[in-house]
Amino acid sequence: MGGGFSVGGMISGLDSNAIIRQLIQIERLPIQRIEDRISALGKQRTAVTELRGVLQTLQNRARDFQLNLVFNKYAASSTEDKVATATVGENPVLGSYAIEVLNLASATSAVGSASLGAPINPDASLADSGLATAITAGTFTINGVAFTVDPETQSLNDVLSEINSSGAGVTATYDPATDRVSFENSAPGNTSLINFGAKDDDSNFLSVLNVRQATQSTGGNGSTVVVGTRNLGAVRPGDTLADVNFANGPVTAGSFRINGIAIDVDPAEDSIADILARINNSDAQVTASYDSATDAIRFTSKALGSRTISFESGTSNFLDVANLTTAIQTAGADARFTVNGGPEQTRNTNEVSDAIGGVTINMTSVGTTTVNIAHDEDGLVAGIQSFLDAFNEATNKVRSLTSRDGALRSDGGIRGIESQLRQVVFKTLGGLSGDFESLAHIGITTGDSFDAAASSNLTLNREKFLEAYKESPDNVRRLFANSDKTGVADEFQAYLSEVTKSTGFLNARIRSNGTIDQQIKAYQDQMRRLEDRLGQRE
């Protein structure tokens, strides 16, 4: 109230404060009506935003026809998936193809011609013999007989002699050619298991000899024989090259080439593992690995087929030291197959993409199969249905928003959108080659009729549509999109791109400081003036 003194009804006996409040409440009605209009405008903004999104979805489905994403759907099947499968690319040649796989493509492999590590010296102390793995002092057991080993004072031959003269019943032999130790039951014809190790053993001697898990077989004298699974001087891939006792001498710095790709080597810094990683990460198109069983480097070509792997020594002798310039290569094979009984074809891959137009054949085993390439009817129908669903959603949204209870009721501009969409979808196209001039001709209707005035949703008669498409696919395609831009999808795309674009009339309403914002601001200014006037009045 204006002043600090109020007599209320003290003199007159009337409650003047209550009367004033009632009068002011009546005079606030225009402000309440403005608040209702602002709220309605907010709902309109939400409604237009939702409508624009729905129309953009319809626009995208229309663009699918222009990009040939709806009709460019094909399916491939194989009568024998274990022999070959097929995948469809662009513009496949439809038909049925008899595929006979005569041979699968395989990869070339190469392995070093000898072991990398130098054979050990069996007469030197175990600690200085060149063993790749150091032997720990302690005891080990063979057939229940315990032996003591001291790597600082005993040689391999010393230990083997002790075993042979013991009661263990075996003969142990070192073969310098293979750098491996073998054990054989001393008694001819004795096929008993040779028992390596015991619970209380504390030396790794038998593990270093690689016999504990080795296969036990029958030897020439009919007794059990066990041979170490790898050479005793086998390299350790993680050791620096300069510290490895290679059979062919030390590695020199420089580079070498695999399939023409240069690989650098620094013996003071690199290990075998480093070199292999460098090869695998290069463009040499091979996979290199260390084979611990043979103490050799193994290569497998990434490309299939009968081409061999090229090894070229350069400024480094790494390939010579690794026995790769004399590598044992097993050339891969080319794939061999026929199509529809035609001439034999060869490829250096099992995925053949140039034997049937627009189709890739993936061969997986030798045999025969029939590959069928046809239209993907399910995918095609799904694409058409997706378009119809988007159309129905858009027209239903317009009717809902412009209905008596809608946020955009009686909005002629919005109602015009549905009118335009229905006008396009129900039109007849002239000038097309073929008998189909409207969507009704290919099974798209509003149920029992095709009435532009009806409010029913569009439906698809699958059988009628597929029959029409099989009869004249080009005619059906041009109903939706064609070079003259007269198809249903063409006109939807052109119209909706204008309606939904950032400068279109829908976005003009809802964007920041658009028409709705301007109306709200004008109402807010008017409401402030009325509030000020009402305050003065009160």
Side-chain angles (χ1 to χ4, degrees):
M1 306 296 284
F5 174 73
S6 173
V7 294
M10 293 175 59
I11 300 176
S12 63
L14 297 175
D15 188 352
S16 57
N17 288 336
I19 294 173
I20 292 173
R21 282 195 299 271
Q22 293 174 7
L23 291 173
I24 294 301
Q25 187 66 29
I26 294 173
E27 295 193 27
R28 284 190 59 84
L29 291 177
I31 295 176
Q32 293 175 359
R33 285 192 290 270
I34 292 175
E35 289 175 341
D36 292 341
R37 291 169 185 168
I38 291 176
S39 176
L41 286 171
K43 293 178 181 178
Q44 288 180 23
R45 176 162 47 201
T46 299
V48 173
T49 300
E50 292 175 354
L51 176 61
R52 184 168 180 253
V54 169
L55 294 177
Q56 286 175 326
T57 298
L58 177 58
Q59 180 187 357
N60 290 336
R61 299 293 74 78
R63 186 183 292 115
D64 290 343
F65 290 96
Q66 295 181 319
L67 297 176
N68 199 25
L69 299 179
V70 176
F71 293 106
N72 191 27
K73 293 183 180 297
Y74 304 91
S77 62
S78 173
T79 57
E80 291 293 341
D81 288 346
K82 293 181 179 179
V83 174
T85 58
T87 54
V88 180
E90 293 186 5
N91 302 316
V93 180
L94 306 185
S96 182
Y97 303 90
I99 308 295
E100 182 178 8
V101 180
L102 303 173
N103 191 73
L104 292 177
S106 58
T108 293
S109 63
V111 64
S113 57
S115 298
L116 290 170
I120 69 166
N121 181 353
D123 294 318
S125 67
L126 290 170
D128 299 322
S129 65
L131 285 166
T133 303
I135 290 179
T136 56
T139 60
F140 64 90
T141 304
I142 300 176
N143 285 337
V145 178
F147 301 90
T148 301
V149 61
D150 181 356
E152 297 298 330
T153 61
Q154 291 177 291
S155 68
L156 177 62
N157 281 338
D158 291 337
V159 179
L160 297 185
S161 295
E162 185 177 342
I163 294 172
N164 293 338
S165 61
S166 72
V170 295
T171 299
T173 306
Y174 170 72
D175 183 352
T178 61
D179 193 30
R180 302 186 187 200
V181 172
S182 63
F183 291 84
E184 184 174 10
N185 282 333
S186 301
N190 182 0
T191 57
S192 299
L193 179 74
I194 300 175
N195 195 335
F196 294 106
K199 181 175 62 174
D200 296 329
D201 287 356
D202 54 8
S203 173
N204 64 346
F205 180 81
L206 295 174
S207 296
V208 172
L209 266 55
N210 304 292
V211 294
R212 299 195 65 169
Q213 304 300 325
T215 300
Q216 302 202 15
S217 59
T218 303
N221 69 349
S223 59
T224 299
V225 174
V226 179
V227 181
T229 56
R230 62 185 309 211
N231 51 309
L232 299 180
V235 303
R236 289 183 295 194
D239 288 352
T240 304
L241 295 174
D243 297 329
V244 176
N245 185 23
F246 287 106
N248 293 331
V251 173
T252 57
S255 65
F256 60 90
R257 291 180 178 274
I258 305 289
N259 286 335
I261 302 300
I263 307 296
D264 295 328
V265 179
D266 182 354
E269 298 291 338
D270 295 330
S271 65
I272 291 176
D274 294 331
I275 300 300
L276 298 184
R278 197 166 297 150
I279 293 171
N280 292 335
N281 291 329
S282 74
D283 294 325
Q285 296 300 303
V286 294
T287 299
S289 60
Y290 172 71
D291 187 344
S292 61
T294 60
D295 189 32
I297 296 176
R298 185 176 297 277
F299 286 82
T300 302
S301 177
K302 291 181 180 179
L304 303 182
S306 58
R307 268 52 59 190
T308 56
I309 301 170
S310 171
F311 297 101
E312 301 175 61
S313 294
T315 55
S316 170
N317 67 346
F318 179 85
L319 294 179
D320 301 292
V321 171
N323 305 296
L324 290 170
T325 49
T326 56
I328 301 171
Q329 298 211 35
T330 303
D334 290 332
R336 297 186 296 113
F337 64 97
T338 63
V339 178
N340 287 337
E344 182 178 306
Q345 302 183 50
T346 61
R347 300 289 190 278
N348 64 346
T349 176
N350 291 316
E351 291 188 1
V352 179
S353 58
D354 57 355
I356 302 173
V359 178
T360 297
I361 304 171
N362 182 24
M363 298 178 290
T364 52
S365 69
V366 173
T368 59
T369 185
T370 299
V371 170
N372 296 297
I373 309 300
H375 289 290
D376 180 5
E377 294 184 353
D378 290 339
L380 175 57
V381 169
I384 298 296
Q385 189 61 55
S386 179
F387 170 72
L388 299 184
D389 290 344
F391 174 85
N392 292 334
E393 184 179 6
T395 54
N396 288 336
K397 174 66 77 173
V398 170
R399 286 197 301 273
S400 173
L401 294 177
T402 58
S403 66
R404 183 173 182 178
D405 299 324
L408 302 173
R409 56 184 174 273
S410 303
D411 191 319
I414 300 299
R415 284 180 175 173
I417 295 175
E418 180 191 8
S419 176
Q420 181 64 30
L421 294 179
R422 288 192 170 276
Q423 180 179 341
V424 172
V425 84
F426 287 98
K427 76 171 187 174
T428 298
L429 278 74
L432 298 180
S433 59
D435 296 331
F436 310 127
E437 296 183 335
S438 73
L439 298 188
H441 291 160
I442 61 172
I444 298 175
T445 66
T446 55
D448 295 334
S449 63
F450 197 65
D451 184 2
S455 60
S456 301
N457 290 334
L458 293 180
T459 62
L460 175 66
N461 185 318
R462 176 189 173 100
E463 289 73 22
K464 185 174 182 179
F465 171 78
L466 290 177
E467 182 180 351
Y469 188 69
K470 291 176 182 177
E471 177 183 337
S472 183
D474 289 339
N475 183 186
V476 174
R477 289 170 183 253
R478 287 193 292 269
L479 275 174
F480 290 92
N482 54 61
S483 58
D484 295 329
K485 302 298 182 184
T486 59
V488 172
D490 292 325
E491 294 202 18
F492 271 10
Q493 168 66 16
Y495 173 68
L496 292 174
S497 63
E498 288 296 320
V499 171
T500 63
K501 67 182 181 180
S502 58
T503 56
F505 85 93
L506 289 181
N507 202 47
R509 294 189 180 190
I510 60 177
R511 66 171 181 258
S512 178
N513 201 35
T515 55
I516 290 180
D517 273 2
Q518 293 175 12
Q519 292 178 68
I520 290 176
K521 184 177 182 302
Y523 278 130
Q524 289 172 338
D525 291 343
Q526 182 180 355
M527 190 167 61
R528 280 192 292 270
R529 290 193 297 271
L530 289 175
E531 290 279 10
D532 291 343
R533 188 179 306 134
L534 189 60
Q536 295 173 2
R537 172 69 171 164
E538 185 176 6

